Amino acid sequence: MVSKEACKEPWRYSTAGVSIALRVTPRGGRDDIDGIEQLSDGRSVLKVRVRAIADGGEANKAVLVLLAKSLGVPKASVKLLSGATSRLKQIAVDGDPVRLGEALRQLASAKSKD
């Protein structure tokens, strides 16, 4: 049985790690994770902002580096799955799914309470 809280999480678990739905704000003033947001269609996304501009993939690179650092995984473990030119992106993070899920939950809840 999946808890109601798990349904609101913008990440899905797999045997290799997690897949995260993001909404990215380039030129956001700082590199940070701003918590979980509900989109108008009901989907949940993890809000991320980066200082980099959305030109030549700079913002995408900054997002991958920020997630790797925040989750404590090597940069090579974080990959862009879709949304290279969109604010809405899917990111795959390789690693222990339970540990990654817990780390994401802590990051998101800490920011949501601010």
XYZ file of all heavy atoms in Angstrom:
841
model
N 0.851 -1.185 0.000
C 0.000 0.000 0.000
C 0.889 1.238 0.000
O 1.780 1.368 0.816
C -0.879 -0.040 1.245
C -1.728 1.178 1.425
S -3.423 0.658 1.377
C -4.186 2.132 1.952
N 0.634 2.132 -0.925
C 1.406 3.369 -1.031
C 0.733 4.435 -0.191
O -0.478 4.635 -0.252
C 1.484 3.818 -2.514
C 2.204 5.130 -2.633
C 2.149 2.759 -3.359
N 1.536 5.142 0.614
C 0.965 6.179 1.466
C 0.525 7.364 0.622
O 0.987 7.571 -0.494
C 1.998 6.633 2.503
O 3.022 7.366 1.873
N -0.386 8.174 1.171
C -0.865 9.362 0.473
C 0.288 10.321 0.204
O 0.360 10.961 -0.827
C -1.928 10.052 1.335
C -2.682 11.132 0.605
C -3.688 11.773 1.513
C -5.061 11.276 1.204
N -6.111 11.978 1.906
N 1.227 10.412 1.131
C 2.401 11.285 0.988
C 3.263 10.851 -0.194
O 3.766 11.674 -0.941
C 3.219 11.256 2.279
C 4.221 12.371 2.414
C 3.602 13.750 2.474
O 2.473 13.887 2.951
O 4.265 14.703 2.019
N 3.408 9.544 -0.404
C 4.231 9.040 -1.504
C 3.646 9.417 -2.857
O 4.372 9.596 -3.822
C 4.405 7.534 -1.381
N 2.322 9.533 -2.952
C 1.681 9.904 -4.215
C 2.023 11.339 -4.602
O 1.983 11.687 -5.769
C 0.171 9.755 -4.110
S -0.352 8.043 -3.901
N 2.327 12.175 -3.643
C 2.642 13.568 -3.913
C 4.119 13.777 -4.230
O 4.503 14.858 -4.628
C 2.272 14.432 -2.700
C 0.798 14.454 -2.408
C 0.513 15.299 -1.196
C -0.944 15.257 -0.824
N -1.211 15.980 0.401
N 4.919 12.764 -4.039
C 6.349 12.906 -4.286
C 6.613 12.961 -5.782
O 6.085 12.142 -6.531
C 7.123 11.741 -3.655
C 7.076 11.753 -2.151
C 7.752 10.541 -1.530
O 7.957 9.530 -2.234
O 8.065 10.605 -0.338
N 7.432 13.914 -6.226
C 7.704 14.050 -7.659
C 8.811 13.122 -8.162
O 9.429 13.406 -9.165
C 8.104 15.517 -7.787
C 8.684 15.855 -6.469
C 7.942 15.026 -5.454
N 9.058 12.038 -7.463
C 10.071 11.075 -7.911
C 9.487 9.674 -7.868
O 8.583 9.385 -7.106
C 11.353 11.155 -7.081
C 11.169 11.074 -5.606
C 11.085 9.949 -4.841
C 11.036 12.162 -4.694
N 10.917 10.278 -3.525
C 10.889 11.632 -3.399
C 11.047 13.545 -4.846
C 10.725 12.428 -2.264
C 10.887 14.343 -3.728
C 10.734 13.774 -2.456
N 10.031 8.843 -8.760
C 9.630 7.439 -8.840
C 10.846 6.575 -8.593
O 11.946 6.913 -9.025
C 9.038 7.127 -10.218
C 7.732 7.843 -10.491
C 7.119 7.361 -11.788
N 8.091 7.281 -12.859
C 8.139 8.089 -13.900
N 7.296 9.069 -14.008
N 9.055 7.926 -14.837
N 10.624 5.457 -7.956
C 11.708 4.536 -7.624
C 11.886 3.484 -8.703
O 10.919 3.058 -9.323
C 11.416 3.835 -6.290
C 11.325 4.779 -5.129
C 10.108 5.304 -4.727
C 12.466 5.152 -4.434
C 10.019 6.181 -3.659
C 12.390 6.029 -3.359
C 11.168 6.538 -2.979
O 11.091 7.410 -1.919
N 13.126 3.067 -8.922
C 13.425 1.938 -9.793
C 14.545 1.141 -9.129
O 15.068 1.550 -8.101
C 13.862 2.426 -11.182
O 15.154 2.997 -11.107
N 14.924 0.037 -9.740
C 15.990 -0.769 -9.154
C 17.336 -0.056 -9.242
O 18.219 -0.289 -8.430
C 16.096 -2.134 -9.856
O 16.238 -1.914 -11.249
C 14.867 -2.975 -9.583
N 17.495 0.841 -10.229
C 18.773 1.538 -10.420
C 18.878 2.840 -9.634
O 19.964 3.374 -9.468
C 18.986 1.837 -11.902
N 17.754 3.361 -9.157
C 17.775 4.646 -8.438
C 16.423 5.308 -8.444
O 15.419 4.659 -8.161
N 16.387 6.606 -8.787
C 15.123 7.343 -8.833
C 15.060 8.194 -10.102
O 16.083 8.568 -10.672
C 14.930 8.264 -7.599
C 14.761 7.467 -6.327
C 16.055 9.258 -7.459
N 13.836 8.505 -10.503
C 13.564 9.428 -11.594
C 12.802 10.591 -10.977
O 11.791 10.379 -10.291
C 12.720 8.722 -12.660
O 12.250 9.650 -13.607
N 13.262 11.812 -11.214
C 12.694 12.997 -10.555
C 12.100 13.935 -11.589
O 12.733 14.249 -12.596
C 13.776 13.765 -9.765
C 14.585 12.828 -8.887
C 13.143 14.871 -8.939
C 15.862 13.449 -8.340
N 10.874 14.402 -11.327
C 10.250 15.436 -12.161
C 10.630 16.793 -11.566
O 10.427 17.037 -10.373
C 8.731 15.272 -12.163
N 11.182 17.672 -12.407
C 11.643 18.987 -11.940
C 10.952 20.118 -12.680
O 10.551 19.959 -13.832
C 13.145 19.162 -12.216
C 14.154 18.201 -11.643
C 15.548 18.612 -12.094
C 14.086 18.184 -10.147
N 10.848 21.275 -12.027
C 10.542 22.535 -12.690
C 11.711 23.444 -12.390
O 11.975 23.787 -11.246
C 9.259 23.177 -12.205
C 8.907 24.427 -13.055
C 7.600 25.055 -12.675
N 7.649 25.680 -11.377
C 8.229 26.859 -11.107
N 8.844 27.525 -12.037
N 8.183 27.357 -9.894
N 12.441 23.831 -13.426
C 13.694 24.570 -13.268
C 13.495 26.046 -13.579
O 12.834 26.403 -14.549
C 14.781 23.976 -14.196
C 16.070 24.780 -14.107
C 15.033 22.522 -13.854
N 14.085 26.897 -12.738
C 14.118 28.335 -12.983
C 15.565 28.737 -13.245
O 16.361 28.815 -12.309
C 13.569 29.117 -11.765
O 12.252 28.658 -11.477
C 13.549 30.613 -12.038
N 15.909 28.970 -14.530
C 17.264 29.462 -14.812
C 17.362 30.929 -14.419
O 16.347 31.615 -14.315
C 17.394 29.280 -16.323
C 16.018 29.133 -16.854
C 15.129 28.726 -15.718
N 18.583 31.404 -14.198
C 18.823 32.777 -13.731
C 18.000 33.076 -12.473
O 17.427 34.150 -12.330
C 18.504 33.785 -14.834
C 19.446 33.674 -16.008
C 19.163 34.643 -17.084
N 19.189 36.002 -16.565
C 18.965 37.080 -17.278
N 18.713 36.969 -18.554
N 19.007 38.267 -16.738
N 17.962 32.081 -11.567
C 17.148 32.182 -10.358
C 17.848 32.860 -9.196
O 17.322 32.867 -8.090
N 19.041 33.415 -9.403
C 19.727 34.152 -8.348
C 20.634 33.305 -7.476
O 21.574 33.808 -6.893
N 20.334 32.026 -7.352
C 21.165 31.120 -6.544
C 20.887 29.692 -6.999
O 19.895 29.429 -7.668
C 20.859 31.283 -5.054
C 19.471 30.856 -4.655
C 19.199 31.105 -3.166
N 17.994 30.474 -2.726
C 16.767 30.984 -2.860
N 16.598 32.145 -3.435
N 15.715 30.330 -2.428
N 21.784 28.791 -6.639
C 21.575 27.370 -6.927
C 20.936 26.753 -5.690
O 21.577 26.687 -4.631
C 22.909 26.682 -7.241
C 23.538 27.190 -8.529
O 22.831 27.838 -9.322
O 24.732 26.933 -8.745
N 19.689 26.309 -5.811
C 18.988 25.814 -4.635
C 17.795 24.954 -5.042
O 17.297 25.042 -6.155
C 18.497 26.996 -3.795
C 18.287 26.635 -2.334
O 18.539 25.470 -1.943
O 17.875 27.520 -1.570
N 17.329 24.150 -4.091
C 16.113 23.354 -4.239
C 15.053 24.026 -3.373
O 15.268 24.257 -2.189
C 16.352 21.895 -3.808
C 17.378 21.260 -4.741
C 15.046 21.117 -3.797
C 17.848 19.894 -4.318
N 13.914 24.371 -4.000
C 12.889 25.163 -3.319
C 11.686 24.364 -2.838
O 10.663 24.950 -2.518
C 12.401 26.285 -4.244
C 13.452 27.360 -4.452
O 14.359 27.480 -3.615
O 13.357 28.084 -5.451
N 11.755 23.040 -2.825
C 10.650 22.245 -2.321
C 9.812 21.647 -3.431
O 10.198 21.621 -4.591
N 8.612 21.191 -3.064
C 7.715 20.514 -3.995
C 6.571 21.457 -4.360
O 6.044 22.158 -3.514
C 7.165 19.217 -3.376
C 8.315 18.241 -3.128
C 6.099 18.581 -4.269
C 7.919 16.984 -2.392
N 6.220 21.444 -5.644
C 5.125 22.285 -6.132
C 4.126 21.417 -6.890
O 4.518 20.459 -7.550
C 5.698 23.353 -7.070
C 4.650 24.237 -7.709
C 5.278 25.252 -8.647
O 5.959 24.837 -9.606
O 5.079 26.447 -8.412
N 2.851 21.765 -6.773
C 1.795 21.075 -7.502
C 1.497 21.878 -8.772
O 1.212 23.067 -8.698
C 0.536 21.015 -6.620
C -0.468 19.996 -7.053
C -0.151 18.623 -6.490
O 0.666 18.476 -5.610
N -0.788 17.615 -7.029
N 1.592 21.241 -9.926
C 1.281 21.909 -11.189
C -0.235 21.974 -11.384
O -0.986 21.271 -10.716
C 1.927 21.158 -12.360
C 3.450 21.070 -12.363
C 3.929 20.245 -13.545
C 4.064 22.457 -12.402
N -0.677 22.795 -12.336
C -2.113 22.958 -12.574
C -2.781 21.658 -13.027
O -3.972 21.473 -12.815
C -2.359 24.053 -13.615
O -1.703 23.733 -14.827
N -2.006 20.752 -13.635
C -2.577 19.467 -14.069
C -2.546 18.404 -12.970
O -2.890 17.259 -13.201
C -1.879 18.964 -15.329
C -0.402 18.648 -15.115
O 0.070 18.744 -13.960
O 0.283 18.317 -16.096
N -2.098 18.789 -11.765
C -2.109 17.877 -10.628
C -0.803 17.151 -10.370
O -0.640 16.501 -9.348
N 0.147 17.226 -11.322
C 1.444 16.572 -11.115
C 2.261 17.343 -10.091
O 2.158 18.555 -9.979
C 2.236 16.515 -12.420
C 1.673 15.589 -13.452
C 2.534 15.536 -14.678
N 2.575 16.866 -15.303
C 3.482 17.268 -16.177
N 4.448 16.449 -16.550
N 3.440 18.471 -16.706
N 3.104 16.617 -9.373
C 4.038 17.227 -8.436
C 5.410 17.313 -9.085
O 5.813 16.398 -9.806
C 4.147 16.398 -7.158
O 2.931 16.414 -6.459
N 6.114 18.414 -8.819
C 7.480 18.591 -9.327
C 8.347 19.134 -8.203
O 7.858 19.783 -7.287
C 7.535 19.551 -10.539
C 6.860 18.948 -11.750
C 6.944 20.901 -10.199
N 9.630 18.850 -8.288
C 10.608 19.419 -7.374
C 11.075 20.733 -7.989
O 11.519 20.751 -9.137
C 11.785 18.450 -7.199
C 12.793 18.781 -6.107
C 12.137 18.720 -4.733
C 13.957 17.813 -6.161
N 10.910 21.834 -7.262
C 11.309 23.145 -7.780
C 12.800 23.342 -7.556
O 13.289 23.187 -6.440
C 10.550 24.269 -7.074
C 9.075 24.265 -7.325
C 8.391 25.497 -6.815
C 8.637 25.721 -5.346
N 7.972 26.908 -4.815
N 13.500 23.694 -8.632
C 14.941 23.905 -8.588
C 15.247 25.231 -9.265
O 14.659 25.549 -10.293
C 15.683 22.758 -9.318
C 17.176 23.016 -9.366
C 15.409 21.429 -8.644
N 16.153 26.010 -8.686
C 16.610 27.246 -9.322
C 18.122 27.217 -9.424
O 18.794 26.675 -8.549
C 16.150 28.482 -8.554
C 16.754 28.594 -7.167
C 16.389 29.869 -6.433
N 14.968 30.007 -6.308
C 14.324 31.166 -6.461
N 14.975 32.266 -6.719
N 13.027 31.218 -6.320
N 18.618 27.768 -10.526
C 20.061 27.839 -10.744
C 20.426 29.238 -11.236
O 19.600 29.930 -11.828
C 20.556 26.767 -11.753
C 20.417 25.369 -11.179
C 19.837 26.875 -13.077
N 21.661 29.640 -10.969
C 22.157 30.947 -11.428
C 22.412 30.970 -12.924
O 22.327 32.012 -13.559
C 23.452 31.311 -10.699
C 23.261 31.702 -9.268
C 24.568 32.190 -8.686
N 25.518 31.076 -8.568
C 25.909 30.556 -7.424
N 25.488 31.046 -6.298
N 26.752 29.547 -7.398
N 22.755 29.822 -13.491
C 23.136 29.739 -14.904
C 21.977 30.138 -15.820
O 20.809 29.959 -15.473
C 23.589 28.323 -15.236
N 22.335 30.663 -17.008
C 21.317 31.019 -17.991
C 20.974 29.798 -18.840
O 21.763 28.870 -18.963
C 21.788 32.184 -18.893
C 23.044 31.810 -19.673
C 22.000 33.441 -18.080
C 23.430 32.831 -20.721
N 19.779 29.830 -19.416
C 19.323 28.715 -20.250
C 19.846 28.901 -21.668
O 19.095 29.160 -22.596
C 17.804 28.652 -20.232
N 21.152 28.800 -21.829
C 21.770 28.985 -23.137
C 22.873 27.944 -23.298
O 23.762 27.841 -22.455
C 22.350 30.403 -23.250
C 22.921 30.694 -24.625
O 22.347 30.196 -25.616
O 23.930 31.404 -24.716
N 22.783 27.174 -24.353
C 23.815 26.176 -24.624
C 23.884 25.062 -23.591
O 24.925 24.436 -23.417
N 22.788 24.823 -22.876
C 22.770 23.743 -21.886
C 23.400 24.092 -20.552
O 23.563 23.217 -19.695
N 23.756 25.364 -20.341
C 24.408 25.761 -19.085
C 23.509 25.512 -17.873
O 23.969 25.024 -16.840
C 24.834 27.233 -19.139
C 25.951 27.510 -20.116
C 27.204 26.699 -19.834
O 27.652 26.677 -18.672
O 27.724 26.073 -20.776
N 22.228 25.859 -17.990
C 21.309 25.654 -16.865
C 21.136 24.161 -16.579
O 21.088 23.747 -15.415
C 19.964 26.312 -17.145
N 21.046 23.342 -17.627
C 20.915 21.894 -17.432
C 22.122 21.336 -16.689
O 21.983 20.524 -15.771
C 20.751 21.172 -18.775
C 19.397 21.427 -19.408
O 18.438 21.751 -18.720
N 19.325 21.291 -20.709
N 23.331 21.758 -17.091
C 24.545 21.306 -16.402
C 24.521 21.710 -14.936
O 24.874 20.919 -14.054
C 25.789 21.881 -17.077
C 26.092 21.288 -18.423
C 27.308 21.950 -19.036
C 27.355 21.686 -20.532
N 28.213 22.613 -21.237
N 24.103 22.952 -14.667
C 24.045 23.440 -13.284
C 23.043 22.641 -12.453
O 23.289 22.343 -11.281
C 23.681 24.924 -13.266
N 21.924 22.256 -13.048
C 20.914 21.449 -12.350
C 21.495 20.082 -11.985
O 21.333 19.611 -10.857
C 19.637 21.290 -13.214
C 18.732 20.198 -12.665
C 18.896 22.605 -13.314
N 22.187 19.444 -12.926
C 22.765 18.121 -12.675
C 23.813 18.184 -11.564
O 23.848 17.321 -10.681
C 23.360 17.551 -13.960
C 22.372 17.328 -15.116
C 23.095 16.781 -16.341
C 21.228 16.431 -14.717
N 24.646 19.234 -11.592
C 25.674 19.403 -10.551
C 25.013 19.646 -9.191
O 25.408 19.057 -8.181
C 26.638 20.553 -10.920
C 27.527 20.924 -9.746
C 27.483 20.164 -12.127
N 23.982 20.502 -9.158
C 23.281 20.801 -7.901
C 22.662 19.540 -7.309
O 22.795 19.277 -6.106
C 22.205 21.866 -8.137
C 21.267 22.133 -6.965
C 22.020 22.724 -5.773
C 20.136 23.058 -7.384
N 21.991 18.742 -8.133
C 21.365 17.515 -7.624
C 22.398 16.519 -7.133
O 22.218 15.890 -6.093
C 20.480 16.893 -8.697
C 19.150 17.613 -8.942
C 18.426 17.013 -10.130
C 18.277 17.561 -7.710
N 23.489 16.364 -7.876
C 24.543 15.429 -7.457
C 25.099 15.844 -6.097
O 25.254 15.014 -5.196
C 25.656 15.386 -8.500
N 25.377 17.127 -5.942
C 25.931 17.628 -4.684
C 24.920 17.476 -3.542
O 25.266 17.017 -2.453
C 26.304 19.105 -4.865
C 26.963 19.732 -3.681
C 27.360 21.166 -3.992
C 27.831 21.866 -2.748
N 28.058 23.292 -2.977
N 23.666 17.839 -3.792
C 22.627 17.780 -2.758
C 22.334 16.354 -2.306
O 22.010 16.123 -1.145
C 21.331 18.411 -3.279
O 21.529 19.764 -3.592
N 22.434 15.393 -3.237
C 22.118 13.998 -2.913
C 23.350 13.183 -2.531
O 23.234 12.021 -2.174
C 21.404 13.345 -4.095
C 20.037 13.936 -4.430
C 19.505 13.351 -5.727
C 19.062 13.719 -3.292
N 24.537 13.783 -2.655
C 25.760 13.089 -2.274
C 26.125 11.951 -3.205
O 26.597 10.903 -2.760
N 25.883 12.144 -4.500
C 26.250 11.123 -5.491
C 27.218 11.742 -6.499
O 27.266 12.962 -6.642
C 25.002 10.566 -6.233
C 24.064 9.868 -5.273
C 24.277 11.648 -7.008
N 27.988 10.924 -7.210
C 28.882 11.468 -8.237
C 28.075 12.122 -9.367
O 26.957 11.704 -9.659
C 29.620 10.243 -8.769
C 29.351 9.142 -7.807
C 28.113 9.482 -7.054
N 28.672 13.132 -10.000
C 27.993 13.820 -11.101
C 27.611 12.863 -12.219
O 26.590 13.046 -12.871
C 28.876 14.943 -11.657
C 28.949 16.149 -10.758
C 29.724 17.260 -11.421
C 31.171 17.159 -10.979
N 31.974 18.319 -11.396
N 28.414 11.826 -12.436
C 28.135 10.848 -13.488
C 26.867 10.033 -13.209
O 26.312 9.418 -14.116
C 29.317 9.912 -13.654
N 26.375 10.055 -11.961
C 25.176 9.293 -11.597
C 23.886 10.046 -11.893
O 22.801 9.500 -11.734
C 25.198 8.943 -10.107
O 26.279 8.103 -9.825
N 23.988 11.308 -12.305
C 22.811 12.144 -12.541
C 22.719 12.442 -14.038
O 23.656 12.966 -14.626
C 22.897 13.460 -11.740
C 21.626 14.280 -11.906
C 23.155 13.183 -10.272
N 21.573 12.073 -14.657
C 21.414 12.228 -16.103
C 20.086 12.887 -16.434
O 19.071 12.613 -15.798
C 21.461 10.860 -16.782
C 22.765 10.132 -16.629
C 22.666 8.726 -17.196
C 23.801 7.847 -16.751
N 23.808 7.537 -15.346
N 20.100 13.717 -17.465
C 18.887 14.339 -17.980
C 18.172 13.339 -18.880
O 18.742 12.872 -19.869
C 19.253 15.603 -18.765
C 18.100 16.368 -19.397
C 17.204 16.974 -18.328
C 18.644 17.459 -20.303
N 16.926 12.992 -18.542
C 16.160 12.045 -19.354
C 15.348 12.759 -20.432
O 15.273 12.309 -21.565
C 15.202 11.233 -18.475
C 15.821 10.296 -17.456
C 14.736 9.633 -16.620
C 16.669 9.247 -18.137
N 14.704 13.871 -20.050
C 13.887 14.617 -21.014
C 13.748 16.055 -20.556
O 13.972 16.377 -19.395
C 12.504 13.973 -21.165
O 11.787 14.065 -19.960
N 13.365 16.919 -21.505
C 13.136 18.319 -21.178
C 14.347 19.206 -21.328
O 14.464 20.215 -20.635
N 15.251 18.887 -22.246
C 16.490 19.654 -22.401
C 16.229 21.130 -22.674
O 16.985 21.983 -22.224
C 17.347 19.056 -23.517
N 15.146 21.451 -23.393
C 14.859 22.855 -23.710
C 13.610 23.358 -22.994
O 13.089 24.422 -23.322
C 14.679 23.042 -25.232
O 13.601 22.204 -25.665
C 15.953 22.676 -25.979
N 13.123 22.622 -22.012
C 11.907 22.983 -21.284
C 12.234 23.263 -19.825
O 13.245 22.821 -19.299
C 10.917 21.813 -21.374
O 9.823 22.010 -20.520
N 11.353 24.001 -19.154
C 11.504 24.205 -17.708
C 11.153 22.929 -16.948
O 11.616 22.718 -15.841
C 10.605 25.345 -17.241
C 11.064 26.691 -17.707
C 10.059 27.761 -17.371
N 9.806 27.833 -15.961
C 10.099 28.874 -15.190
N 10.655 29.926 -15.725
N 9.829 28.874 -13.917
N 10.283 22.091 -17.541
C 9.904 20.823 -16.923
C 10.842 19.741 -17.433
O 10.976 19.550 -18.636
C 8.452 20.474 -17.250
C 7.410 21.444 -16.711
C 6.029 21.057 -17.199
C 7.448 21.511 -15.197
N 11.500 19.051 -16.511
C 12.522 18.070 -16.868
C 12.321 16.770 -16.092
O 11.725 16.778 -15.022
C 13.916 18.616 -16.536
C 14.210 19.926 -17.233
C 15.619 20.393 -16.962
C 15.882 21.735 -17.581
N 15.638 21.845 -19.013
N 12.843 15.694 -16.644
C 12.932 14.413 -15.948
C 14.409 14.094 -15.794
O 15.163 14.130 -16.771
C 12.254 13.296 -16.757
C 10.760 13.283 -16.679
C 10.236 12.802 -15.343
O 10.930 12.154 -14.571
N 8.999 13.142 -15.058
N 14.817 13.805 -14.572
C 16.211 13.512 -14.248
C 16.283 12.116 -13.634
O 15.454 11.762 -12.798
C 16.763 14.539 -13.227
C 16.606 15.966 -13.734
C 18.191 14.219 -12.839
C 17.533 16.361 -14.839
N 17.272 11.336 -14.032
C 17.522 10.023 -13.430
C 18.743 10.129 -12.532
O 19.750 10.729 -12.907
C 17.765 8.973 -14.501
N 18.638 9.559 -11.338
C 19.765 9.520 -10.398
C 20.015 8.058 -10.052
O 19.126 7.382 -9.526
C 19.481 10.330 -9.117
C 20.697 10.323 -8.203
C 19.055 11.754 -9.445
N 21.220 7.574 -10.376
C 21.585 6.199 -10.073
C 22.082 6.106 -8.633
O 22.798 6.996 -8.166
C 22.690 5.709 -11.015
C 22.211 5.613 -12.452
O 20.993 5.488 -12.663
O 23.062 5.661 -13.353
N 21.697 5.028 -7.952
C 22.133 4.803 -6.578
C 21.093 4.002 -5.822
O 20.141 3.486 -6.410
N 21.264 3.921 -4.517
C 20.328 3.199 -3.656
C 19.005 3.969 -3.620
O 18.960 5.085 -3.096
C 20.918 3.062 -2.251
C 19.969 2.394 -1.281
O 19.033 1.698 -1.732
O 20.154 2.567 -0.062
N 17.917 3.395 -4.167
C 16.655 4.134 -4.239
C 16.116 4.557 -2.868
O 15.556 5.646 -2.739
C 15.697 3.177 -4.929
C 16.463 1.983 -5.319
C 17.838 2.085 -4.763
N 16.295 3.725 -1.859
C 15.783 4.050 -0.523
C 16.533 5.257 0.043
O 15.923 6.208 0.552
C 15.898 2.827 0.425
C 15.507 3.201 1.838
C 15.057 1.676 -0.094
N 17.861 5.249 -0.062
C 18.659 6.367 0.446
C 18.367 7.651 -0.333
O 18.219 8.717 0.251
C 20.150 6.033 0.365
C 21.020 7.056 1.111
C 22.492 6.876 0.832
N 22.889 7.245 -0.513
C 22.964 8.514 -0.953
N 22.662 9.520 -0.177
N 23.343 8.756 -2.197
N 18.267 7.535 -1.657
C 17.980 8.714 -2.486
C 16.597 9.281 -2.169
O 16.424 10.500 -2.061
C 18.073 8.356 -3.972
C 19.472 8.055 -4.497
C 19.396 7.491 -5.908
C 20.348 9.291 -4.457
N 15.611 8.404 -2.007
C 14.260 8.857 -1.661
C 14.227 9.581 -0.340
O 13.579 10.624 -0.194
N 14.945 9.055 0.645
C 15.005 9.697 1.962
C 15.698 11.058 1.865
O 15.244 12.042 2.451
C 15.730 8.793 2.958
C 15.741 9.307 4.376
C 14.341 9.551 4.935
O 13.414 8.775 4.647
O 14.180 10.550 5.676
N 16.793 11.125 1.113
C 17.509 12.400 0.947
C 16.626 13.427 0.252
O 16.579 14.601 0.654
C 18.795 12.174 0.152
N 15.900 13.015 -0.776
C 14.990 13.928 -1.481
C 13.874 14.404 -0.556
O 13.510 15.578 -0.563
C 14.389 13.238 -2.712
C 15.315 13.123 -3.909
C 14.786 12.096 -4.901
C 15.503 14.470 -4.577
N 13.337 13.489 0.233
C 12.263 13.845 1.171
C 12.756 14.901 2.166
O 12.061 15.872 2.455
C 11.802 12.586 1.897
C 10.352 12.618 2.304
C 9.847 11.260 2.798
N 9.775 10.284 1.699
C 10.521 9.186 1.619
N 11.381 8.875 2.564
N 10.406 8.365 0.612
N 13.981 14.717 2.678
C 14.537 15.681 3.627
C 14.775 17.034 2.968
O 14.452 18.076 3.541
C 15.829 15.151 4.239
C 15.611 14.028 5.215
C 16.913 13.456 5.743
O 17.987 13.827 5.302
N 16.808 12.546 6.691
N 15.335 17.046 1.764
C 15.582 18.300 1.042
C 14.274 19.024 0.774
O 14.173 20.241 0.986
C 16.288 18.017 -0.284
C 17.751 17.656 -0.232
C 18.207 17.122 -1.588
C 18.586 18.859 0.149
N 13.278 18.306 0.291
C 12.011 18.926 -0.074
C 11.260 19.427 1.149
O 10.710 20.534 1.132
C 11.149 17.932 -0.854
N 11.242 18.641 2.234
C 10.483 19.065 3.414
C 11.156 20.223 4.120
O 10.501 21.119 4.645
C 10.280 17.904 4.373
O 11.504 17.486 4.925
N 12.488 20.270 4.109
C 13.196 21.384 4.735
C 12.875 22.688 4.015
O 12.683 23.723 4.647
C 14.695 21.142 4.716
N 12.787 22.643 2.695
C 12.518 23.853 1.914
C 11.043 24.218 1.975
O 10.686 25.372 1.934
C 12.943 23.666 0.455
C 14.428 23.504 0.317
C 15.135 24.757 0.791
C 16.623 24.578 0.723
N 17.348 25.752 1.148
N 10.152 23.228 2.039
C 8.717 23.503 2.048
C 8.287 24.196 3.330
O 7.289 24.904 3.361
C 7.928 22.201 1.862
O 8.227 21.636 0.600
N 9.029 23.996 4.417
C 8.681 24.603 5.702
C 9.250 26.003 5.871
O 8.837 26.727 6.743
C 9.177 23.717 6.839
C 8.441 22.402 6.917
C 9.022 21.509 7.984
C 8.359 20.163 7.958
N 9.066 19.148 8.709
N 10.239 26.361 5.013
C 10.866 27.693 5.125
C 9.880 28.806 4.874
O 8.982 28.746 4.152
C 12.032 27.819 4.129
C 13.248 27.045 4.623
O 13.201 26.582 5.775
O 14.208 26.911 3.864
